Amino acid sequence: MADMTVGIIGAGRIGQLHAEYIMSMSSIELKGICDIEIDHLKGSMMEKHVPVITTDPSILIEDEEMDAIFICSSTDTHCYYIEKCAQAGKHIFCEKPISFSLEETKAALQKVKEAGVHLQIGFNRRFDTHFSKVYEAVSAGKIGKPHIIKITSRDPEPPSEAYIQSSGGMFIDMTIHDFDMIRYLSSNEVESVSVVAANLVDPCFQKYDDVDTAIITLTFEDGSIGGVIDNSRRAVYGYDQRIEVFGEKGVVMADNERESNVQIATKESVTLDHPKYFFLDRYKQAFYREIQAFARAIIDQTPVSCTGGRMD
């Protein structure tokens, strides 16, 4: 018997990924999946093993057996489903961002607070093995007080025009992970943000009033210099994901994950593999671990590790 029963709203790429991982966990039963279109699920493992496949989200939200709902639908629907799930007493896992609107986000969080349910936001990078070890080292005081945090996050190639048009822009779609990570690593709130950005990769971004390259500097409330984030929508050598925390007693850093750790050194050159190319490959384990953490919080009735609040 599973310890909890869940449903998923939104069966796109991320929704299907979560479904795959949930179905592999003995502690969670995936009872239902909802999407506005379900034809693409025909013949899939989900159709074969998930009891309820529907286009009506209320069937999942109103099901008394459902302990939690995973919201993996488009961003413009997140607040609506968060409020509906909270009203129904369901715990909620919601993909980032909560909303494109700050006021809508605050209203949804208030509904969650009033209902007393758990809400975890899908900042999966907190659960990456390497980044987790960096966080543990900083939290344990191994490098003393952090002075500077550097995050490099660069995509291997630009997304499609359709994606760019509906993404909300690079900062909401991509940099949001880095904003979360820098707060997580520093255990501090950001006091000021400065950005220099440009269109250097593809004119399609400019068409939708977006950018593709940026350097962001942040200062924290405790007075430390804070952090530096650099983003690009195209790193031709692979998915570039690195972090570094420099402190009064030393530095801790995490380099890219590569296809292998084999290095060939000769008189002529030193070669090693490129970084992993796709985010689903790079953060595969992190996606799995964030679901485990969400389930443990509900089963053990403990706080979730990544809420929608100011600090967590």
Side-chain angles (χ1 to χ4, degrees):
M1 290 287 290
D3 295 312
M4 61 181 287
T5 301
V6 305
I8 295 176
I9 297 175
R13 181 170 62 185
I14 292 298
Q16 290 183 58
L17 179 76
H18 288 318
E20 176 187 339
Y21 288 156
I22 291 169
M23 287 190 294
S24 71
M25 298 178 182
S26 59
S27 61
I28 311 176
E29 177 192 355
L30 178 58
K31 184 179 179 182
I33 297 175
C34 171
D35 201 355
I36 54 175
E37 277 288 342
I38 56 176
D39 288 347
H40 64 294
L41 299 180
K42 288 182 179 178
S44 68
M45 290 292 290
M46 283 161 279
E47 185 186 47
K48 294 175 183 177
H49 296 285
V50 180
V52 180
I53 305 288
T54 180
T55 58
D56 183 359
S58 65
I59 291 177
L60 305 188
I61 295 171
E62 296 172 7
D63 188 331
E64 293 184 358
E65 292 185 352
M66 292 287 183
D67 298 300
I69 301 292
F70 282 67
I71 301 173
C72 305
S73 51
S74 59
T75 298
D76 60 347
T77 66
H78 287 181
C79 285
Y80 174 79
Y81 287 132
I82 286 174
E83 292 184 15
K84 289 294 183 183
C85 290
Q87 289 168 1
K90 309 300 183 188
H91 301 295
I92 306 158
F93 181 101
C94 182
E95 278 300 328
K96 62 81 189 167
I98 295 176
S99 170
F100 295 136
S101 164
L102 185 58
E103 293 308 313
E104 287 181 1
T105 299
K106 289 179 178 178
L109 294 178
Q110 182 60 33
K111 293 292 185 182
V112 170
K113 183 178 179 180
E114 292 170 359
V117 297
H118 285 74
L119 168 66
Q120 180 168 317
I121 307 302
F123 286 116
N124 61 289
R125 295 182 190 181
R126 293 187 180 210
F127 302 92
D128 173 71
T129 301
H130 314 291
F131 293 176
S132 294
K133 287 186 179 297
V134 172
Y135 171 76
E136 289 166 6
V138 174
S139 298
K142 291 185 178 181
I143 62 162
K145 178 180 172 60
H147 288 174
I148 302 172
I149 300 173
K150 294 182 179 179
I151 297 179
T152 293
S153 180
R154 304 168 185 162
D155 286 345
E157 60 184 17
S160 67
E161 181 172 352
Y163 185 92
I164 295 169
Q165 185 177 9
S166 60
S167 70
M170 186 175 76
F171 300 119
I172 290 178
D173 174 58
M174 178 181 176
T175 318
I176 190 170
H177 279 291
D178 306 315
F179 287 142
D180 177 70
M181 181 56 60
I182 216 159
R183 290 174 62 249
Y184 183 56
L185 291 171
S186 68
S187 296
N188 242 298
E189 289 297 347
V190 174
E191 185 173 78
S192 66
V193 180
S194 176
V195 180
V196 178
N199 292 106
L200 303 177
V201 173
D202 191 327
C204 185
F205 290 97
Q206 193 169 16
K207 179 179 177 180
Y208 296 102
D209 195 28
D210 195 4
V211 295
D212 53 45
T213 309
I215 296 176
I216 303 118
T217 57
L218 308 98
T219 58
F220 295 111
E221 288 181 344
D222 71 350
S224 59
I225 293 176
V228 179
I229 298 168
D230 79 80
N231 290 148
S232 174
R233 283 293 197 178
R234 184 177 64 200
V236 296
Y237 49 86
Y239 191 41
D240 195 354
Q241 300 285 292
R242 291 170 281 148
I243 62 174
E244 175 190 295
V245 184
F246 171 79
E248 59 185 347
K249 296 180 181 179
V251 64
V252 56
M253 61 190 76
D255 205 342
N256 283 307
E257 254 193 21
R258 303 181 185 277
E259 293 301 330
S260 80
N261 62 0
V262 174
Q263 181 172 298
I264 302 174
T266 67
K267 181 179 179 181
E268 291 75 24
S269 65
V270 176
T271 61
L272 64 164
D273 278 353
H274 288 95
K276 290 184 175 179
Y277 195 80
F278 194 41
F279 80 95
L280 291 182
D281 296 324
R282 170 61 180 83
Y283 289 115
K284 182 176 181 179
Q285 185 185 53
F287 281 111
Y288 189 89
R289 291 178 66 192
E290 72 174 349
I291 296 173
Q292 286 184 315
F294 177 62
R296 283 198 302 270
I298 293 171
I299 294 167
D300 299 338
Q301 297 184 359
T302 56
V304 297
S305 58
C306 188
T307 72
R310 265 178 58 91
M311 245 351 262
D312 40 84

